[in-house]
Amino acid sequence: DIVLTQSPDSLAVSLGERATISCKSGQSVLDGSNNKNYLAWYQQKPGQPPKLLIYWASSRESGVPDRFSGSGSGTDFSLTIRSLQAEDVAVYYCQQYYSTPPTFGGGTKVEIK
Amino acid sequence: QVQLQESGPGLVKPSQTLSLTCTVSGGSISSGDYYWSWIRQSPGRGLEWIGYIHNTGSTYHNPSLKSRVTMSPDTSQNQFSLKLTSVTAADTAVYFCARAQHDFYFDFWGQGTLVTVSS
């Protein structure tokens, strides 16, 4: 199974400031045949299921605010929240779908400073 | 808009079988290239993919669960189900059903249901 390691475990950011979360994969999730990174990001608020934010490492899901962006390739990825809003307080997870079983990172909790 | 809703007992005794159903609305489990999946979440194991069922009838489950998993569709009710046998306390978790796109990211999720394994 591909292991995804997220850092930091938690992050406190002031409103309007940038938040950046890292996700490192134990092996590359880049498919050289189509140049796609098989990595997604989710947001989970208390008592709710995860919500898809980003897929293919940088494609934003419909309806997701453009302050959320994903970047990276191969084994190193980031999720950036450009200007943190109060409603962005949540736990964020990365997920690889390069190989079966799909696996998730351990999560990063984002709070307001 | 696709919606999913889990249902089933919230308490299961050790060594017994956990049974859950996911009811889908706003889309048919019989059409499209989707993988109707079960995922669970617990403090100790985080998010763990359990398995999927495809509209072709194919199923696949996480090898970590060995042969304890059975998934099946009920196309007449637009539902799919999960059975997990020989449960232990380690199977206590919130269980989600979700739809996966062909490439296996999950775009729609149910609200989740807490299943506790305890005598």
Side-chain angles (χ1 to χ4, degrees):
Chain A
D1 297 6
I2 295 179
V3 176
L4 299 178
T5 303
Q6 289 185 232
S7 62
D9 291 338
S10 64
L11 182 61
V13 175
S14 300
L15 288 172
E17 295 300 305
R18 179 187 301 259
T20 301
I21 299 166
S22 170
C23 175
K24 293 187 186 296
S25 175
Q27 65 186 78
S28 176
V29 297
L30 172 64
D31 187 335
S33 67
N34 59 15
N35 205 35
K36 287 186 171 182
N37 286 284
Y38 286 60
L39 190 108
W41 288 96
Y42 299 84
Q43 174 193 66
Q44 186 177 31
K45 297 180 179 180
Q48 296 185 19
K51 173 189 173 185
L52 178 66
L53 297 176
I54 302 284
Y55 55 96
W56 297 127
S58 60
S59 295
R60 200 177 301 112
E61 174 72 336
S62 176
V64 173
D66 63 5
R67 64 180 180 273
F68 291 93
S69 63
S71 63
S73 184
T75 60
D76 293 330
F77 299 90
S78 296
L79 174 71
T80 298
I81 309 172
R82 187 180 68 240
S83 173
L84 191 75
Q85 304 298 303
E87 61 265 32
D88 301 333
V89 169
V91 180
Y92 293 83
Y93 296 94
C94 55
Q95 177 231 331
Q96 67 78 23
Y97 47 101
Y98 180 82
S99 67
T100 304
T103 51
F104 295 84
T108 295
K109 186 174 186 178
V110 174
E111 300 171 306
I112 304 295
K113 186 187 292 184
Chain B
Q1 179 85 341
V2 174
Q3 294 184 307
L4 300 93
Q5 179 66 59
E6 306 85 353
S7 59
L11 181 64
V12 181
K13 289 182 166 45
S15 80
Q16 294 194 343
T17 297
L18 179 159
S19 296
L20 294 173
T21 297
C22 181
T23 301
V24 179
S25 57
S28 171
I29 66 167
S30 304
S31 61
D33 190 16
Y34 301 116
Y35 294 82
W36 302 95
S37 296
W38 290 97
I39 297 162
R40 65 183 182 181
Q41 184 174 32
S42 63
R45 304 166 85 103
L47 285 160
E48 180 182 24
W49 176 76
I50 298 171
Y52 72 69
I53 184 163
H54 190 259
N55 66 10
T56 57
S58 68
T59 63
Y60 186 80
H61 65 267
N62 195 322
S64 68
L65 294 164
K66 298 185 171 59
S67 57
R68 296 197 295 136
V69 173
T70 303
M71 290 168 289
S72 57
D74 182 345
T75 54
S76 67
Q77 299 292 320
N78 211 34
Q79 297 174 333
F80 59 103
S81 65
L82 168 70
K83 292 188 188 302
L84 182 65
T85 62
S86 304
V87 297
T88 69
D91 296 308
T92 293
V94 176
Y95 285 75
F96 296 98
C97 55
R99 187 184 83 168
Q101 290 284 336
H102 172 79
D103 294 294
F104 248 94
Y105 52 88
F106 303 97
D107 56 356
F108 290 100
W109 296 64
Q111 280 298 117
T113 187
L114 174 62
V115 179
T116 301
V117 178
S118 175
S119 55

